[in-house]
Coordinates of all heavy atoms in Angstrom, one line a residue:
E30 N 100.2 90.7 78.5 CA 98.8 91.0 78.9 C 98.1 89.8 79.6 O 97.3 90.0 80.5 CB 98.0 91.4 77.7 CG 98.4 92.8 77.1 CD 98.2 93.9 78.1 OE1 97.1 93.9 78.7 OE2 99.0 94.8 78.2
N31 N 98.4 88.6 79.2 CA 97.9 87.4 79.8 C 98.2 87.3 81.2 O 97.3 86.9 82.0 CB 98.3 86.1 79.1 CG 97.7 84.8 79.6 OD1 96.4 84.9 79.8 ND2 98.4 83.9 79.7
D32 N 99.4 87.8 81.6 CA 99.7 87.7 83.0 C 98.9 88.7 83.8 O 98.5 88.4 85.0 CB 101.3 88.1 83.2 CG 102.1 87.0 82.5 OD1 101.7 85.9 82.2 OD2 103.4 87.3 82.4
F33 N 98.7 89.9 83.3 CA 97.8 90.9 84.0 C 96.4 90.2 84.2 O 95.8 90.4 85.3 CB 97.7 92.1 83.1 CG 98.8 93.1 83.2 CD1 99.7 93.1 82.2 CD2 99.0 93.9 84.3 CE1 100.8 94.0 82.2 CE2 100.1 94.9 84.3 CZ 101.0 94.9 83.3
S34 N 95.9 89.6 83.2 CA 94.6 89.0 83.2 C 94.6 87.9 84.3 O 93.5 87.8 85.0 CB 94.2 88.4 81.8 OG 94.1 89.5 80.9
R35 N 95.5 87.1 84.3 CA 95.6 86.0 85.3 C 95.6 86.5 86.7 O 94.8 86.0 87.5 CB 96.8 85.1 85.0 CG 96.9 83.9 86.0 CD 95.7 83.1 86.2 NE 95.4 82.3 85.0 CZ 95.4 81.0 84.9 NH1 95.7 80.3 86.0 NH2 95.2 80.4 83.8
L36 N 96.4 87.5 87.0 CA 96.4 88.0 88.3 C 95.1 88.7 88.7 O 94.6 88.5 89.8 CB 97.5 89.1 88.6 CG 97.6 89.7 89.9 CD1 97.8 88.6 91.0 CD2 98.8 90.6 90.0
S37 N 94.4 89.4 87.8 CA 93.1 89.9 88.0 C 92.1 88.9 88.3 O 91.3 89.0 89.2 CB 92.6 90.7 86.7 OG 93.4 91.8 86.6
L38 N 92.2 87.7 87.6 CA 91.2 86.6 87.8 C 91.5 86.1 89.2 O 90.5 85.7 89.9 CB 91.4 85.6 86.7 CG 90.6 84.3 86.9 CD1 89.2 84.6 86.7 CD2 91.2 83.2 86.0
L39 N 92.7 85.8 89.6 CA 93.0 85.2 90.9 C 92.5 86.2 92.0 O 92.0 85.7 93.1 CB 94.5 85.0 91.0 CG 95.0 83.9 90.1 CD1 96.6 83.8 90.2 CD2 94.4 82.5 90.4
I40 N 92.7 87.5 91.9 CA 92.2 88.4 92.9 C 90.7 88.4 92.9 O 90.1 88.4 94.0 CB 92.7 89.8 92.6 CG1 94.2 89.9 92.8 CG2 92.0 90.9 93.4 CD1 94.9 91.2 92.3
Q41 N 90.0 88.3 91.8 CA 88.5 88.2 91.8 C 88.1 86.9 92.5 O 87.1 86.9 93.2 CB 88.0 88.2 90.3 CG 86.5 88.1 90.3 CD 85.8 89.2 91.0 OE1 86.1 90.3 91.0 NE2 84.7 88.8 91.7
E42 N 88.8 85.8 92.2 CA 88.4 84.5 92.9 C 88.5 84.7 94.4 O 87.7 84.2 95.2 CB 89.2 83.4 92.4 CG 88.9 83.0 90.9 CD 89.8 81.9 90.4 OE1 90.8 81.5 91.1 OE2 89.6 81.5 89.3
G43 N 89.5 85.4 94.8 CA 89.8 85.7 96.2 C 88.6 86.5 96.9 O 88.2 86.3 98.0
V44 N 88.1 87.5 96.1 CA 87.0 88.3 96.6 C 85.8 87.4 96.8 O 85.1 87.6 97.8 CB 86.8 89.5 95.5 CG1 85.4 90.1 95.9 CG2 87.9 90.5 95.5
E45 N 85.5 86.6 95.8 CA 84.4 85.7 96.0 C 84.6 84.7 97.1 O 83.6 84.4 97.8 CB 84.2 84.9 94.7 CG 83.8 85.9 93.5 CD 83.9 85.2 92.1 OE1 84.1 84.1 92.0 OE2 83.7 86.0 91.2
R46 N 85.7 84.3 97.4 CA 86.0 83.2 98.4 C 86.0 83.9 99.8 O 85.5 83.3 100.7 CB 87.3 82.5 98.1 CG 87.7 81.5 99.0 CD 88.9 80.8 98.6 NE 89.3 79.7 99.5 CZ 90.3 78.9 99.4 NH1 91.1 79.1 98.4 NH2 90.5 77.9 100.2

Side-chain angles (χ1 to χ4, degrees):
E30 291 294 320
N31 184 44
D32 296 348
F33 283 100
S34 297
R35 177 52 69 115
L36 182 57
S37 296
L38 175 69
L39 294 174
I40 290 172
Q41 178 60 38
E42 288 175 358
V44 168
E45 294 167 4
R46 181 175 183 182

